[in-house]
Amino acid sequence: MAYLILVRHGRSEWNDKGLWTGLTDVDLTDRGCEEARKTGVLLKDFKVDIAYTSKLKRAKNTLDLILKELKITVPVIESVFLNERDYGVFTGKNKWEVKDSVGEEKFNQIRRSWNFPIDKGESLKQVYLRTIPYYKNQILPELKKGNNVLVVAHGNSLRSLAK
């Protein structure tokens, strides 16, 4: 039986500031790097045959640190289909200030609802519609071959895969 291992990137610079990051290409904090290394330690008993990651450096750097901790080299495939959700007009805005401005109900719709439209951005449904075909066409065949697959991506792209 093959394993599908899903890992969210470590803490990013904008996570520390409470900002909606989306497609903004920010790096990991020192804490995020340490989280990635600890994830590598936790995965030491798993054989990884191939890895997938988004095009964003916080995910790519998390993967690099995990592989370094595991002391392995595997094929790595980067794809925009695994990128974080595009938060559109909310990108770069402080989440908690937005919550105060729009109220808790709308804030929860923006963050967690399935098909809530975001101006110039994506709903979780739209993220699902780009990640699932990629999973079915690229990742699932590797699992069917018996390869253990590590995917390092983002909260929303991983949520859509888990769904």
Side-chain angles (χ1 to χ4, degrees):
M1 175 178 79
Y3 288 98
L4 173 62
I5 305 161
L6 303 177
V7 175
R8 181 192 178 270
H9 64 79
R11 191 160 183 87
S12 76
E13 295 164 343
W14 280 21
N15 290 141
D16 272 0
K17 296 176 182 175
L19 305 177
W20 263 310
T21 311
L23 300 179
T24 305
D25 202 11
V26 300
D27 210 345
L28 299 172
T29 60
D30 290 342
R31 177 178 163 189
C33 291
E34 185 57 30
E35 290 169 343
R37 285 189 283 274
K38 284 180 180 177
T39 301
V41 170
L42 291 171
L43 294 176
K44 69 179 172 20
D45 294 330
F46 289 87
K47 179 179 179 268
V48 175
D49 298 300
I50 189 167
Y52 292 83
T53 188
S54 79
K55 292 281 192 175
L56 301 171
K57 63 184 162 190
R58 58 193 183 272
K60 294 190 310 186
N61 290 344
T62 298
L63 174 60
D64 289 344
L65 289 165
I66 290 170
L67 295 176
K68 185 176 179 183
E69 189 66 40
L70 293 172
K71 298 178 176 72
I72 62 170
T73 302
V74 298
V76 173
I77 294 122
E78 297 176 9
S79 176
V80 296
F81 293 106
L82 296 172
N83 279 359
E84 177 58 289
R85 176 182 178 186
D86 183 350
Y87 277 102
V89 297
F90 295 109
T91 301
K93 294 194 172 154
N94 182 283
K95 295 174 190 175
W96 317 120
E97 290 173 6
V98 170
K99 181 179 179 180
D100 289 344
S101 147
V102 302
E104 185 151 354
E105 184 177 342
K106 185 170 181 183
F107 177 75
N108 287 331
Q109 288 178 318
I110 294 165
R111 286 191 81 195
R112 299 290 182 231
S113 74
W114 173 245
N115 201 21
F116 187 81
I118 293 179
D119 192 24
K120 299 180 184 173
E122 291 178 293
S123 66
L124 185 57
K125 180 180 179 183
Q126 289 170 308
V127 175
Y128 178 90
L129 291 173
R130 75 170 147 85
T131 57
I132 295 307
Y134 183 77
Y135 168 81
K136 287 179 179 177
N137 293 323
Q138 301 297 318
I139 298 171
L140 185 57
E142 292 296 332
L143 293 165
K144 286 182 176 180
K145 287 188 227 175
N147 290 325
N148 292 335
V149 177
L150 172 60
V151 177
V152 179
H154 309 271
N156 286 296
S157 55
L158 293 173
R159 280 177 64 211
S160 68
L161 288 175
K163 183 171 176 35

